[in-house]
Amino acid sequence: MTAVSVTTVPDPGFAAPSAWPASAVPAPGGDVAVGGVPLAGLAERYGTPLYVLDEDEVRSRARAWRRALPDAEVVYAAKAFLCRAVVDWMEQEGLGLAVGSAGERELAATRGFPADRIVLHGHARSPHDLRTALRLGVGRIVIGSGCEIASLAARVPGPEPQQVMVRVRPDAGGPGRIRAVAGAQRFGLSVADGDAEEAVARILGQPCLELIGLHSHPGSQITSPEPYARSVRRMIAFMARIRDRYGITLPEIDLGGGFAVACPPGQPVPAPAAYGRRIHDELIRCCAEFDYPLPRLTVEPGRSVLAGAGVVLHRVLAVRRMDGRVFASVDGGTGDAPGADRCGARRAVRLVGRSPEGPTRATTVVAGDSEAGEVLAGPVELPEDLRPGDVLAAPVSGAYRMSPVSGRALTGGPAVAAVRGGRSRLLVRRETFDDHRARDVGL
């Protein structure tokens, strides 16, 4: 890691709102420092596009979830972003891992992450995903469709049964647009239609599977604790019905993730403690109502742990003025398209590395590696003298941006760096043409 000394200076044009990492402060020359490291210097050292993770911020957000639900298991949703360092951070902070693929499980294995703290789920797993999970071990496997039961049971090596949960379909989630994109209402087994109970009966008939509870996922970018409270009520009611009909008391419920982050900047979102209080109170109330023993609770924050701890840096390639509008094309960007994290054009963007000259102007930031010029942000207020070579920084970029980069036009995936205490280090190197060439085995 490289140490950098930063002297902050007053900058009336910059304040670190909730969208930026808490360590973000103005630095000399119009720059911004995160984790004590100037962002423009990171762009020079590691190149752009570059994702920057504030390690202390990640750890702080992980701890906030543990404090919010001290008696629950907090499991980091790896699909938000996973690399070896993130695996280590989650293990050190006492979180589990929710993985959805063989690759994520293999990566966790390379760091020696405890198998009993890993949950495997997803609405459709390949045979390879299941084989890998069973070979390396996972604490629980979430079953999201009836057709998975026999397939999974046939692969359990024994002699101990594999612990499983049934994903039930929630009745409500976040905003309609988000639900439609996330598909939370389409996946899982319906309680109302009887599919969930049929799956329970089939699992109970498989000696190599041990049913331990129910899983639910109400959606994405959920800005209220109420959908989780409704999930608690429906799940406890269903578990009481299972107890009365089959004579078993399931000891666990998993409420999934989807907890919102501040996007656009200034959007009010509940703190982990607010979610935690509402979930805990409803769980106590429902268990008393149905005379059900208090089950072990699991939540799966992903975006809310990582998104706000990340900043993405892009270098301006071209500035175009057309029909009274201004467009700034930046390097890369395909993985930052609006669909990646539901934030899209509402993102905050700021010039870093120099002080602007003159007024600002509404500018649309677009992906330079896309023929269609996919909108990354905007219109946002950027300096009127914006020019090629300038570096732009956008917060709330720590989740669902680094993993899905497609490598369009062989541009290669971006690098990821971490900052902490005035030092930086590379976590994931930039993808090169040699990486593409090594995969291209055709003649």
Side-chain angles (χ1 to χ4, degrees):
M1 296 181 75
T2 300
V4 178
S5 176
V6 175
T7 302
T8 62
V9 296
D11 181 353
F14 174 74
S18 59
W20 288 80
S23 67
V25 292
D31 207 349
V32 173
V34 173
V37 183
L39 294 178
L42 291 172
E44 289 298 325
R45 182 180 183 197
Y46 298 113
T48 55
L50 176 69
Y51 289 91
V52 180
L53 286 176
D54 183 336
E55 180 179 344
D56 284 336
E57 181 88 2
V58 174
R59 291 177 179 273
S60 174
R61 289 168 181 256
R63 291 170 193 156
W65 275 107
R66 294 201 65 200
R67 289 194 302 271
L69 290 162
D71 298 323
E73 181 177 9
V74 180
V75 173
Y76 170 70
K79 62 184 178 180
F81 173 67
L82 199 67
C83 67
R84 290 186 295 178
V86 171
V87 173
D88 292 345
W89 298 345
M90 296 304 113
E91 196 278 330
Q92 292 160 10
E93 296 301 334
L95 273 64
L97 283 180
V99 302
S101 69
E104 290 176 347
R105 180 62 189 92
E106 293 271 14
L107 183 60
T110 67
R111 308 306 294 168
F113 197 93
D116 62 347
R117 287 165 53 190
I118 296 179
V119 180
L120 173 73
H121 64 72
H123 63 85
R125 276 73 53 91
S126 71
H128 177 53
D129 294 333
L130 293 177
R131 284 194 300 268
T132 301
L134 292 170
R135 173 173 57 86
L136 296 175
V138 292
R140 286 147 285 168
I141 295 178
V142 179
I143 293 176
S145 66
C147 62
E148 292 182 301
I149 297 170
S151 175
L152 174 60
R155 291 180 166 86
V156 176
E160 296 298 321
Q162 171 62 53
Q163 293 187 339
V164 299
M165 307 183 84
V166 170
R167 177 172 173 175
V168 296
R169 192 179 305 161
D171 65 332
R177 183 181 71 86
I178 303 304
R179 288 204 310 271
V181 174
Q185 304 300 311
R186 294 197 299 271
F187 302 118
L189 293 155
S190 169
V191 174
D193 295 345
D195 294 340
E197 187 167 333
E198 180 184 350
V200 166
R202 289 177 59 191
I203 292 170
L204 294 177
Q206 295 283 355
C208 55
L209 300 180
E210 179 187 359
L211 181 63
I212 63 167
L214 302 181
H215 182 283
S216 182
H217 182 62
S220 185
Q221 265 298 84
I222 304 222
T223 58
S224 166
E226 292 310 310
Y228 300 97
R230 287 194 291 269
S231 289
V232 166
R233 171 164 291 277
R234 289 178 64 86
M235 293 166 79
I236 295 299
F238 184 43
M239 290 164 75
R241 194 164 88 197
I242 292 170
R243 175 197 58 193
D244 296 343
R245 184 161 299 181
Y246 299 98
I248 62 167
T249 301
L250 301 180
E252 297 189 22
I253 63 170
D254 187 331
L255 295 180
F259 305 99
V261 298
C263 186
Q267 177 190 34
V269 296
Y275 288 110
R277 282 192 300 271
R278 185 69 181 95
I279 290 169
H280 177 265
D281 290 349
E282 189 65 22
L283 186 59
I284 296 295
R285 181 167 27 254
C286 290
C287 286
E289 178 181 341
F290 290 96
D291 191 24
Y292 200 90
L294 197 66
R296 182 186 186 190
L297 172 67
T298 298
V299 293
E300 301 175 4
R303 180 199 318 270
S304 66
V305 173
L306 224 68
V311 176
V312 65
L313 304 178
H314 288 291
R315 198 171 292 276
V316 176
L317 301 178
V319 179
R320 298 180 176 88
R321 292 170 172 81
M322 296 179 289
D323 301 323
R325 302 173 63 191
V326 180
F327 296 87
S329 298
V330 299
D331 53 1
T334 299
D336 281 336
D341 71 351
R342 323 291 185 247
C343 187
R346 297 175 296 170
R347 298 167 63 195
V349 176
R350 171 187 169 88
L351 173 70
V352 296
R354 74 173 178 88
S355 299
E357 301 171 6
T360 62
R361 182 166 181 172
T363 304
T364 301
V365 182
V366 299
D369 61 0
S370 165
E371 287 294 327
E374 294 172 356
V375 174
L376 306 184
V380 293
E381 290 296 319
L382 289 172
E384 194 170 43
D385 67 338
L386 190 70
R387 51 186 179 258
D390 281 341
V391 177
L392 299 180
V396 198
S397 299
Y400 297 107
R401 292 182 175 279
M402 297 165 279
S403 298
V405 174
S406 67
R408 184 181 297 181
L410 298 184
T411 54
V416 182
V419 293
R420 189 183 197 189
R423 296 175 178 268
S424 71
R425 63 187 173 112
L426 192 65
L427 301 184
V428 180
R429 68 166 174 81
R430 190 172 309 284
E431 194 174 22
T432 67
F433 175 72
D434 287 341
D435 295 321
H436 289 288
R437 184 170 59 184
R439 296 179 61 216
D440 190 345
V441 298
L443 298 177

